[in-house]
Amino acid sequence: LLSSGCSNNHQDWMDAANSRWAVLRSSILLPAAENAFETGSLEQANQTLAEALSVDPKNAKLHVLSGRIALERGELERAHQWFENARTFDTENAAGHYYQGIVLQRWQRHGPARDCYQQAFDLVSDNVYYLLAVAEMHVALNDVDQAVELLESKLVIFDQNSGIRLALGQLYAMKQQYEHAADCYHDA
């Protein structure tokens, strides 16, 4: 009886060590895959990701990069599934939400895309690209006033970002408020 208790503990320790090794291995392979992706070696990136996913299949960052590769190749269904997996495995992974929004936007599903972009921005509220994506979806949903309100509310936070001022200028021009538009363009 005593020896079986020790062997169970030993197996638990071995399982925990193997799990830590899998996470370490995938964290080493991820930058290699990202580098291959950034240099345009999509096949090499896919091979590296396949190896990393074989040891750590629930790593959301691996799923996001796999989705980005599929997105780059125009494989929207596959990208959608990768991003959905990433969002399932790590609901706090802003990139998974953001890229899922891109897929939905390409499918002209602007409401769900806006929601994904909003989730990404809620998680990483200092990312201006996430903010601009939310505003863009408000415009696509014919809610220019909401887009203006959103961007105006963030001007203090993103004081040095010309992109927000340019977007506001365009929105004010759409609303035929040309003086406000000119002010925004000037500030940008």
Side-chain angles (χ1 to χ4, degrees):
L1 190 64
L2 184 59
S3 67
S4 69
C6 288
S7 79
N8 283 342
N9 283 339
H10 177 73
Q11 187 59 46
D12 291 343
W13 293 330
M14 291 300 294
D15 290 345
N18 286 334
S19 177
R20 286 191 305 273
W21 170 248
V23 169
L24 177 63
R25 178 87 175 123
S26 70
S27 69
I28 291 169
L29 290 170
L30 179 60
E34 289 172 333
N35 186 46
F37 175 75
E38 295 297 328
T39 60
S41 302
L42 300 183
E43 198 54 46
Q44 178 61 45
N46 254 346
Q47 290 173 357
T48 305
L49 284 170
E51 182 180 346
L53 283 163
S54 71
V55 296
D56 191 8
K58 293 185 178 184
N59 184 324
K61 292 178 182 179
L62 299 173
H63 287 268
V64 168
L65 186 54
S66 295
R68 289 183 66 198
I69 291 169
L71 193 59
E72 185 72 23
R73 290 179 169 165
E75 301 167 346
L76 296 182
E77 283 291 334
R78 180 171 284 158
H80 174 74
Q81 188 57 54
W82 283 116
F83 298 136
E84 195 62 36
N85 291 346
R87 294 172 65 198
T88 299
F89 294 136
D90 183 1
T91 58
E92 301 294 309
N93 184 304
H97 295 290
Y98 175 74
Y99 287 110
Q100 184 74 302
I102 290 174
V103 171
L104 293 167
Q105 183 178 355
R106 288 189 184 176
W107 285 339
Q108 303 295 310
R109 296 182 56 208
H110 300 300
R114 181 204 52 219
D115 296 343
C116 284
Y117 291 145
Q118 185 66 55
Q119 288 173 324
F121 184 68
D122 289 345
L123 291 168
V124 183
S125 60
D126 63 347
N127 188 315
V128 72
Y129 299 110
Y130 296 171
L131 173 66
L132 290 171
V134 174
E136 182 181 353
M137 290 302 94
H138 281 301
V139 173
L141 292 165
N142 295 320
D143 195 355
V144 175
D145 291 335
Q146 183 66 34
V148 169
E149 183 181 320
L150 174 66
L151 294 179
E152 286 281 356
S153 73
K154 301 300 180 186
L155 273 176
V156 172
I157 297 168
F158 297 103
D159 184 50
Q160 300 299 313
N161 187 284
S162 63
I164 289 180
R165 286 172 169 60
L166 289 172
L168 276 169
Q170 185 65 33
L171 294 173
Y172 281 125
M174 289 172 66
K175 294 174 61 156
Q176 299 179 351
Q177 295 178 0
Y178 300 115
E179 281 188 42
H180 286 301
D183 289 343
C184 289
Y185 289 139
H186 178 265
D187 291 344

